[in-house]
Amino acid sequence: VIFSCIECFSSLKCFLSLSRFQACVYFASVFQAMSCGIHYLASVFMAVTPNFICGFPGNVSSVLLHNSSASSIEDIWTLWTSTENYIAVQLENGEIWELDQCSRSKREVNLDLAYEYKGNKSVFSCSDGFLYDDTKWKSTVVTQWDLVCDREWLAKLIQPTFMLGVLIGAVIFGDIADRLGRQRVIWFTSTGQFVFGIAVAFTFDYYSFVVVRFLLAMVSSGYLVVAFVYVTEFVGIKARTWASMHVHAFFAMGIMVVALVGFLVRTWWVYQIFLSIATLPFVLCCWMLPETPFWLLSEERYEDAQKVIDTMARWNKVSTPCKISELCSVQQDDLASGRMRDDDTSSTKKHNILDLFCNWQIARRTITVWLIWFTGSLGYYVFSLSSVSLGGNEYLNLFLIGAVELPCYIIACVAMDKLGRRNTLIPFLILSALICVLIMLIPQDFNILIILANMAGKFSIGVAFGLIYLYTAELYPTIVRSLAVGSGSMMCRVGSVVAPFCVYLRSVWIFMPLLLVGIMALLSGILTIMLPETLGKPLTNTLVEATEMGRNKKSCSEKTPPAHSGAALEKIEMFGQERVSTDK
């Protein structure tokens, strides 16, 4: 145990040893990632459907539910435990109505108010609206626009349409960030999260609400994608794994904020405003974040890159900052020698998605990786969205579901460096499947055990979900690495779109979502056995090398140019971590 603690501390020490400039940029950037977690899970309380019944035409004189009577509907909600029961009301004009959730019946014979009635009834639709139980929530979007009965499907589209915006936003803003720079996209998306977040609270109908939430999803997803790239390009090699992994931790903290604000604020539009202003400090200072030297160099903006490096030097108290002109001359020499070695490959083949299926070994690897991405996202959101339906205190449940992620990323970082990527991924995927089965076997009245098991399921799927980012990048060669990670991320977004529909299957069978997640996790875990281990192995440059890493002699019939030296970028990265001895 002592040695394990020492190893964990030594790994964490690399993360905590960031230079002053990198630390400020990192924590400023990932702080806004909380808003992504906030908006992704905000609908669990915003779109909740409370108990409701059909409205009635007139004023009530008495209410009856079985043998319990009251003078108003508000007094009867605590006694109404089943939606199959109707409520009998007598109006001041003597009429007696039986109120169901989606219809109402008027008794033809108005005798003394009794719950059982065998006479004739006239059935009417709910033309006078609905009455809602407001003991927990004063107002939700469901009660605001009557998204019940024949309009229930509109309420069920709220989260899937948001996740569709997440998918589209990741694609659009990821491309824009490569074209216009990370800094501009971070400015726009962080400001957009605040503006659209506030705008959601002031939408005037359901359709404007969905459209604005869709735009909010796009900018939230765009920020999260670009933030990963942004912090990775500023953080040194030693801390890169920890830094990128713990962006997820701040996302989880956003989920915890949702639980806290949901507990304190019970009106949906006020709740939305409080969630949106939670990260206002970042919006006010995000314009101070610099562009990354990596992107500036890729765009040949050497003077701007030199300004950023000089700023880093002043913050980190480095006495001899590096010069871009010297580094670029080294890189140009490397590129020139590369061209002389391989003049016949000047017209390099442009790679596409089909290169991920160039032979059976790579194709099997791609299918497995895509399945893991999909399963990780599906399980993550199924456990998160289902937490409010586990019984007990739904706010505490969601808070714990978010809190359990914080240690899981530390475990993932340590395990993937000590045991290996594959050897960590396999047991946690299979463990997720076993936990799904365990939850199905726990009696429904054991709420505490069910909540603990769900936390364990979220923990195990969180480890797998966080690990797959780095593992995918290491499984594929340089020429298709971005394509592989991008396509995997796309499958992740598909899983997030499917997850809400999977949760809705609880109405068919309460364990249906867990069954689907368990099957997918078990299948993914078994297929992962066939993937190669990448711990301690150099990154591959060609599809031939990637195939050989899988111990398959088949190769792709192509010739790829040698990888050019990235001397300039590597020296800048080393400079970012450098300190003079007097600063220690």
Side-chain angles (χ1 to χ4, degrees), residues 50-51 74 77-78 132-138 266:
N51 290 330
E74 289 75 15
W77 287 123
T78 55
Y132 297 95
D133 179 8
D134 61 357
T135 52
K136 282 189 176 181
W137 278 84
K138 300 299 180 184
R266 305 300 177 91

Side-chain angles (χ1 to χ4, degrees), residues 375-410:
T375 302
S377 179
L378 180 69
Y380 183 93
Y381 287 107
V382 165
F383 280 116
S384 298
L385 296 173
S386 300
S387 62
V388 296
S389 304
L390 299 178
N393 190 311
E394 58 264 41
Y395 308 104
L396 180 60
N397 293 348
L398 184 63
F399 185 88
L400 294 176
I401 285 292
V404 76
E405 286 189 57
L406 302 182
C408 93
Y409 297 126
I410 297 177

Side-chain angles (χ1 to χ4, degrees), residues 222-270:
Y223 182 88
L224 196 60
V225 168
V226 177
F228 269 106
V229 177
Y230 188 77
V231 300
T232 300
E233 292 181 350
F234 265 114
V235 175
I237 297 175
K238 291 183 178 180
R240 181 166 294 166
T241 299
W242 280 80
S244 60
M245 185 74 76
H246 281 76
V247 176
H248 294 287
F250 281 85
F251 184 95
M253 292 173 63
I255 298 177
M256 298 162 67
V257 171
V258 170
L260 179 61
V261 175
F263 175 74
L264 297 175
V265 183
R266 305 300 177 91
T267 301
W268 78 266
W269 60 271
V270 180

Side-chain angles (χ1 to χ4, degrees), residues 299-350:
E299 296 293 313
E300 299 182 355
R301 293 169 53 180
Y302 303 118
E303 293 183 2
D304 293 333
Q306 185 65 58
K307 291 178 181 178
V308 176
I309 292 174
D310 292 339
T311 301
M312 294 169 65
R314 289 194 299 270
W315 277 67
N316 296 336
K317 297 181 180 180
V318 176
S319 57
T320 55
C322 63
K323 299 297 182 182
I324 289 293
S325 56
E326 299 174 0
L327 299 180
C328 288
S329 63
V330 175
Q331 188 179 34
Q332 288 173 357
D333 292 341
D334 291 339
L335 291 174
S337 61
R339 293 191 190 98
M340 293 175 61
R341 286 194 304 266
D342 200 5
D343 288 336
D344 60 332
T345 60
S346 58
S347 56
T348 306
K349 173 187 175 182
K350 292 184 177 181

Side-chain angles (χ1 to χ4, degrees), residues 1 21 100 152 165 196 267 278 283 320 399 411 451 487 507 518 528 568:
V1 174
F21 182 88
D100 291 310
E152 181 183 9
F196 291 130
T267 301
V283 177
T320 55
F399 185 88
I411 298 297
I451 293 170
S487 63
S507 59
T528 303

